[in-house]
Amino acid sequence: MQTVMIVGAGKGGTAIIKILKETAVLDVRVVVDINPNAPGLKVAKENGIITDQDWRPYLTDDIDIIIEVTGNEEVFKDLRDHRSKNTVLIPGSVAFLISKLIEEKEELIFKLKNETYKHDMIFNSAGDGMIVINQQEEIILFNRSAEKMTGYKRDKAVGKHILDIIPSSKLPRVLETRRIEANQEALLSNGLKIITTRIPIIDEDGELIGACSVFKDITEVVNLAEELTNLKEIQTMLQAIIQSSDEAISVVDEEGRGILINPAYSRITGLTEEEVIGKPATADISEGESVHMRVLQTRRAVRGVPMRVGPKKKEVIVNVAPVIVDDKLKGSVGVIHDITELQNLNRELSRARQIIRTLEAKYSFEDIIGDSDEMKLAVEQAKLGAKTPATVLLRGESGTGKELFAHAIHNASDRKYNKFIRVNCAALSESLLESELFGYEEGAFSGAKRGGKRGLFEEANNGSIFLDEIGELTANTQAKLLRVLQENEIIRVGGTKPIPIKVRVIAATNVNLEKAIVSNTFREDLYYRLNRMPIQIPPLRRRKGDIPYLCERLIQKINQDYGRNVEGVTEAAMKQLMQYEWPGNVRELENILGRAIIFMNYSETFIDIQHVPELLEKKQGDTKEDMVTVMVSDQMPLSKLIENYEQKIIKKTLEQYDGNKTLTAKTLGVSVRNLYYKLEKYGIANGGMQ
C-alpha cells in the first residue's frame, strides 16, 4: 500500500484524511500544517497519524505521494522542487476528486454486494427448484430447493454440464428452440416426479445468454388433489346421510339463519326449504322459544326441549348442539323427534320392561352403591352366597334395596342364564298366592283353566325365585314352602303327584322374624331353613356417606326415565339431604329426587334447596313408637290428629319459604288453589296463625 503525506490540515485536508481513512486504499503517514490548531491535525492524532508544522524532515523516499491542500502556490512549488523523483505530487483539487471517485466505487461495490445478497436470498428461499445454464450448457445457478430435489450440492453442480447432473434435462433443447416449455412432467434420476417450466434467457439486444428451469415436486400437487377429492367425497357422503336420515335435521349459521334442512324435517314440520333457508331460527316455531338461539348464546348443547313446530303445531322434542370449529362458533345443528313416535316407543318399552322383569334379573353387584363398612360386608356376603345354592335371607328396612341384592345374587350365580321370578308375598291373598306359587290341576277350583297351570316354582326351575315380604305368609303357605325347601318338590293345588324342582330361593323381609316366632305367626322350622345365610342390609341413615354417590346414580336413571338433563345436586341441597334421617331409605331418596326433577324448569340443571321438599330431621332418641304414643295420648280422633299434623306441616313450610305460597304448594305437591283452601281452613296467613 502506497504511503501519503498530506500538507495542509484545514477544511480540505481534513476531508481528504477522512476519505482516505474510510476507503483504506492509501496509507497516510504524516499530516503537516503551520497552524498547530488546524482541525486536520486533531483528526490525524485521533487516528494515530504523525503530525508536524514542517514537511521537510519527512520528504524522504518512504513517501510515495504528497497531497498539497494548502492552496498556496509557493508551497506547491517548494514541494515540487524538494520532492524525490519517485514521489508523486498531487494538488489538493485532484486528490479530492480521486478520493471522491474511490468513495463512489466503494459505495457501488457495497450496493452491488447488497443486491447480490438479496437476489441470492430470494433465489434460495423459493420453494420451487431453480437451475440456470449459460450458452455452453453449464450450470451457473443452482438453488437450495434444487439441491433437495436432485440430491446434488450446489458447489458440486455449479460449473458442471447440465446433462452430467440431470441426464434427462431438456434445457439444451430450449437453447436451440428459444421456446418456453410450460408445466412439463419429468422424472429425475432419483425417481422423483416433478412439474417443470423451461424458459430461454434473452438479453435486451435479443441475444440468447442461457436458459432457466423452474420445477416443483409433483407429490404436493397429487396430495392436494387427493385432499380435494376426499373432501368432495366426505361432503357428498354427509349430504347423502342427512338427506336419507329419518331424523329431522335443521342447521343454522352463527347469526341464527337457516342454512340446511332435510326431507324428514319438512315431513314432520310441514315447512319447505323456501320457508326456512335464510330465515330466522324462530320461523318454524309455533309454541316455545328458539333452542337454536339459546345454544348460540350459551355455546352449550340443550337436550329434550318440548315445543310445537310448523303450521300444524306438531308436538316435538328438540336436541340442539353448537358447531364449533377451531374454537369459533359456526352455527348449531338441531335434531327434531316426533313425540308421537316417542310415545309409541315408550309404550313398547314399558311392555318390554314388564316382560323382562318377570323373566330375568336386571341388576348386578356393580349397581349396588355403598362405601360404608356395613354395606361392604353385606355385598361380600351376597357375593359369597351367589357361589352356593344355599337359601339366602335378605333382611332390612323397606327401601334399603333387598330386591336389588336378589337380582345381583342371581346374576352372579351359575343360574344367571335361567329365569328369575319375583313374588311379593304380601300383594296376593292366601288362596291366590298358593295357586300362583305351586300351580293347580284342572278342576281344582271354580274357574281353573283346562289342563291346569304351572306355578311360579315350576317356571323358575333351574333358576331363582325371589320371595319378598316372606314374613307375611300364612301358616298354610309356610308349611308348603317348608316342604319345597326340604324335599325340593312341590304339589299343585288339587293334585297329589309331587313334582321335583331345583330352584334357588332368595327370601326377603323387613319384619322381625324372631318376634314373629315368639308370637306364633311364623314357623320356627321354616325360619331355620330360610336363615341359613342371612344378610343384613343397613338403612340409609347409617350410611349417609353414600348419599352423594346414590344421588349421582339415581339422577342418571331419572334423566333416562323422564328425558331430562339434570347434572347434579347443589351443596346446599346436599347438606339438607345429609341431615335427614331417611325413614324410607333409598326408595324415599329416589322419590324426593324424582319429584324435584319433575318440578324443575327445563333450563335448570342442578337440584337446589328450593327443589326438594322439607326434610324434617328427627330428634335424636325419638322413635316411631314415641311419636304414636304422643299423638294417641292427646285422646283425639284420628281425623283430628291428621288435621293437626297437616296444619303444622303447612305452617312450617310457609315459614321456610317466607310466606311464598307458590313455592310452598310446589314443595308439598299440592295445587296453589288447594293450598289457599287449607290456609283458610286452618286460619293460617303469611306463614303464621291468624
Side-chain angles (χ1 to χ4, degrees):
M1 185 181 295
Q2 292 182 315
T3 57
V4 178
M5 180 173 66
I6 299 174
V7 179
K11 186 176 180 181
T14 303
I16 290 175
I17 294 170
K18 290 181 179 179
I19 291 172
L20 293 180
K21 290 300 292 182
E22 289 174 359
T23 56
V25 295
L26 297 173
D27 182 16
V28 181
R29 292 283 183 86
V30 183
V31 177
V32 178
D33 197 296
I34 59 175
N35 181 10
N37 297 320
L41 296 179
K42 183 179 180 181
V43 173
K45 290 177 182 178
E46 291 174 353
N47 287 277
I49 300 171
I50 299 171
T51 59
D52 207 330
Q53 292 176 289
D54 187 7
W55 46 264
R56 288 178 178 80
Y58 306 99
L59 202 61
T60 64
D61 291 338
D62 292 337
I63 299 298
D64 299 315
I65 301 172
I66 300 173
I67 300 175
E68 190 276 321
V69 286
T70 62
N72 189 326
E73 190 174 343
E74 292 298 327
V75 174
F76 181 80
K77 289 179 180 180
D78 206 5
L79 285 169
R80 184 183 59 189
D81 295 340
H82 289 85
R83 67 183 173 86
S84 169
K85 63 179 181 178
N86 295 324
T87 301
V88 178
L89 177 62
I90 301 175
S93 57
V94 175
F96 187 78
L97 179 60
I98 293 173
S99 299
K100 291 299 290 182
L101 291 173
I102 294 172
E103 184 180 4
E104 289 178 5
K105 173 189 173 184
E106 294 291 330
E107 186 177 351
L108 289 173
I109 292 172
F110 174 78
K111 288 182 178 179
L112 179 61
K113 287 182 178 180
N114 191 38
E115 290 298 319
T116 303
Y117 171 76
K118 290 179 182 178
H119 292 160
D120 286 345
M121 185 172 64
I122 295 171
F123 183 70
N124 285 305
S125 62
D128 295 342
M130 295 183 186
I131 299 176
V132 180
I133 63 172
N134 58 18
Q135 288 177 300
Q136 288 73 40
E137 301 179 0
E138 296 172 344
I139 297 173
I140 59 175
L141 288 175
F142 198 86
N143 73 347
R144 289 196 184 96
S145 295
E147 287 182 330
K148 292 179 182 178
M149 283 184 250
T150 63
Y152 286 97
K153 292 296 183 181
R154 179 170 48 184
D155 55 354
K156 292 185 178 180
V158 173
K160 299 288 181 64
H161 194 278
I162 183 63
L163 298 181
D164 292 338
I165 304 301
I166 306 177
S168 60
S169 175
K170 299 298 186 293
L171 277 177
R173 185 174 65 189
V174 173
L175 290 176
E176 295 175 6
T177 63
R178 294 194 174 197
R179 291 181 180 176
I180 297 174
E181 298 179 357
N183 299 323
Q184 300 294 307
E185 186 174 335
L187 183 66
L188 298 179
S189 58
N190 58 9
L192 191 69
K193 285 185 178 181
I194 60 172
I195 292 291
T196 180
T197 296
R198 308 180 189 99
I199 306 168
I201 303 174
I202 300 172
D203 65 11
E204 59 186 7
D205 297 327
E207 293 293 327
L208 181 70
I209 61 175
C212 174
S213 174
V214 180
F215 50 95
K216 180 189 291 289
D217 185 352
I218 200 174
T219 307
E220 297 180 9
V221 179
V222 171
N223 289 340
L224 181 59
E226 289 178 352
E227 287 180 10
L228 291 174
T229 303
N230 289 339
L231 285 175
K232 288 182 179 179
E233 290 178 356
I234 292 171
Q235 184 180 14
T236 303
M237 188 183 299
L238 286 175
Q239 287 178 343
I241 293 171
I242 291 172
Q243 295 300 318
S244 62
S245 174
D246 289 333
E247 301 285 354
I249 298 172
S250 71
V251 183
V252 302
D253 60 19
E254 62 270 26
E255 301 296 330
R257 296 191 173 275
I259 57 176
L260 185 148
I261 61 172
N262 66 344
Y265 177 90
S266 297
R267 174 174 54 81
I268 292 177
T269 65
L271 298 170
T272 63
E273 287 189 356
E274 291 76 15
E275 295 173 297
V276 177
I277 304 301
K279 302 294 191 299
T282 55
D284 59 350
I285 299 175
S286 298
E287 293 180 13
E289 63 171 334
S290 172
V291 186
H292 274 301
M293 297 308 297
R294 191 199 307 177
V295 169
L296 292 175
Q297 291 168 0
T298 63
R299 296 168 69 102
R300 295 183 63 183
V302 176
R303 298 179 58 83
V305 179
M307 63 171 54
R308 294 179 181 268
V309 295
K312 296 182 181 180
K313 297 185 177 181
K314 191 80 168 180
E315 289 188 40
V316 296
I317 295 292
V318 180
N319 299 330
V320 180
V323 178
I324 299 174
V325 180
D326 295 332
D327 204 32
K328 291 184 180 179
L329 184 67
K330 296 295 184 181
S332 61
V333 57
V335 179
I336 297 175
H337 300 278
D338 188 345
I339 204 168
T340 307
E341 297 176 7
L342 291 177
Q343 289 171 343
N344 292 336
L345 289 173
N346 281 333
R347 281 194 293 269
E348 292 180 11
L349 181 60
S350 297
R351 287 196 295 269
R353 281 176 174 170
Q354 290 174 357
I355 295 171
I356 290 170
R357 283 169 184 161
T358 62
L359 297 180
E360 62 182 28
K362 298 185 295 182
Y363 307 110
S364 64
F365 284 112
E366 285 71 24
D367 296 306
I368 299 176
I369 298 173
D371 200 39
S372 65
D373 292 338
E374 288 179 296
M375 199 63 177
K376 286 180 179 178
L377 177 61
V379 171
E380 290 303 319
Q381 289 177 336
K383 288 181 179 179
L384 184 63
K387 297 177 182 178
T388 68
T391 301
V392 175
L393 179 61
L394 301 172
R395 308 190 65 169
E397 297 178 6
S398 178
T400 52
K402 296 186 290 296
E403 185 172 342
L404 184 63
F405 269 81
H407 283 255
I409 291 170
H410 174 79
N411 274 332
S413 71
D414 55 3
R415 302 169 185 261
K416 64 181 177 181
Y417 297 113
N418 297 314
K419 287 185 179 181
F420 176 77
I421 303 295
R422 290 172 291 173
V423 183
N424 189 328
C425 300
L428 301 172
S429 64
E430 179 183 358
S431 58
L432 185 58
L433 178 62
E434 187 176 349
S435 62
E436 285 292 320
L437 286 176
F438 308 115
Y440 55 82
E441 297 289 353
E442 182 177 345
F445 50 82
S446 299
K449 289 183 179 180
R450 180 177 296 179
K453 178 185 175 184
R454 286 159 52 95
L456 294 177
F457 270 103
E458 290 181 74
E459 292 288 343
N461 195 26
N462 295 318
S464 302
I465 188 167
F466 173 51
L467 302 177
D468 196 9
E469 299 190 46
I470 193 75
E472 304 298 328
L473 289 178
T474 62
N476 185 41
T477 309
Q478 288 180 35
K480 290 196 173 186
L481 178 59
L482 179 62
R483 178 180 179 82
V484 173
L485 297 176
Q486 286 180 336
E487 308 297 336
N488 291 325
E489 61 183 24
I490 58 106
I491 298 177
R492 291 182 179 179
V493 176
T496 57
K497 181 181 178 182
I499 301 172
I501 57 167
K502 186 180 180 182
V503 177
R504 163 71 166 276
V505 176
I506 304 173
T509 182
N510 60 355
V511 302
N512 190 323
L513 294 181
E514 290 78 10
K515 287 185 178 180
I517 293 172
V518 173
S519 61
N520 293 321
T521 58
F522 199 83
R523 294 177 64 108
E524 187 175 4
D525 47 2
L526 177 60
Y527 169 77
Y528 291 124
R529 281 286 178 181
L530 292 174
N531 203 41
R532 184 160 295 175
M533 187 166 191
I535 297 174
Q536 185 70 39
I537 304 173
L540 185 57
R541 62 180 173 274
R542 292 220 302 264
R543 56 184 190 103
K544 289 186 178 181
D546 296 334
I547 290 177
Y549 307 106
L550 287 167
C551 287
E552 182 180 350
R553 182 67 64 87
L554 291 173
I555 288 172
Q556 290 177 1
K557 176 179 178 293
I558 296 167
N559 279 338
Q560 292 176 353
D561 291 341
Y562 295 167
R564 298 297 296 268
N565 194 29
V566 176
E567 297 178 15
V569 181
T570 64
E571 290 186 10
M574 182 60 70
K575 182 178 179 181
Q576 191 168 358
L577 294 176
M578 296 290 284
Q579 291 175 348
Y580 187 52
E581 287 301 307
W582 300 107
N585 295 295
V586 179
R587 186 180 291 117
E588 184 181 6
L589 175 61
E590 182 177 3
N591 176 271
I592 286 175
L593 294 176
R595 185 165 64 230
I597 290 174
I598 289 172
F599 286 110
M600 287 172 66
N601 294 326
Y602 276 91
S603 60
E604 295 175 316
T605 57
F606 281 88
I607 298 175
D608 206 349
I609 192 167
Q610 72 266 20
H611 298 131
V612 295
E614 181 181 26
L615 301 176
L616 298 175
E617 185 178 5
K618 296 169 71 176
K619 293 181 180 178
Q620 197 168 16
D622 284 352
T623 64
K624 292 180 180 179
E625 290 80 6
D626 295 334
M627 292 172 65
V628 172
T629 302
V630 171
M631 294 173 69
V632 173
S633 67
D634 291 336
Q635 297 297 319
M636 291 183 183
L638 178 62
S639 60
K640 186 62 177 176
L641 289 171
I642 293 174
E643 286 181 357
N644 288 346
Y645 190 64
E646 184 179 50
Q647 178 182 350
K648 292 177 182 178
I649 292 295
I650 294 173
K651 180 181 176 183
K652 191 168 184 67
T653 308
L654 264 176
E655 292 174 352
Q656 180 180 346
Y657 292 114
D658 298 324
N660 189 320
K661 297 179 179 61
T662 302
L663 277 178
T664 300
K666 185 176 179 180
T667 301
L668 296 176
V670 299
S671 67
V672 177
R673 184 176 180 180
N674 194 9
L675 178 64
Y676 273 101
Y677 166 76
K678 292 180 182 296
L679 293 176
E680 184 177 353
K681 176 182 176 181
Y682 298 128
I684 302 173
N686 299 324
M689 296 292 293
Q690 285 185 340

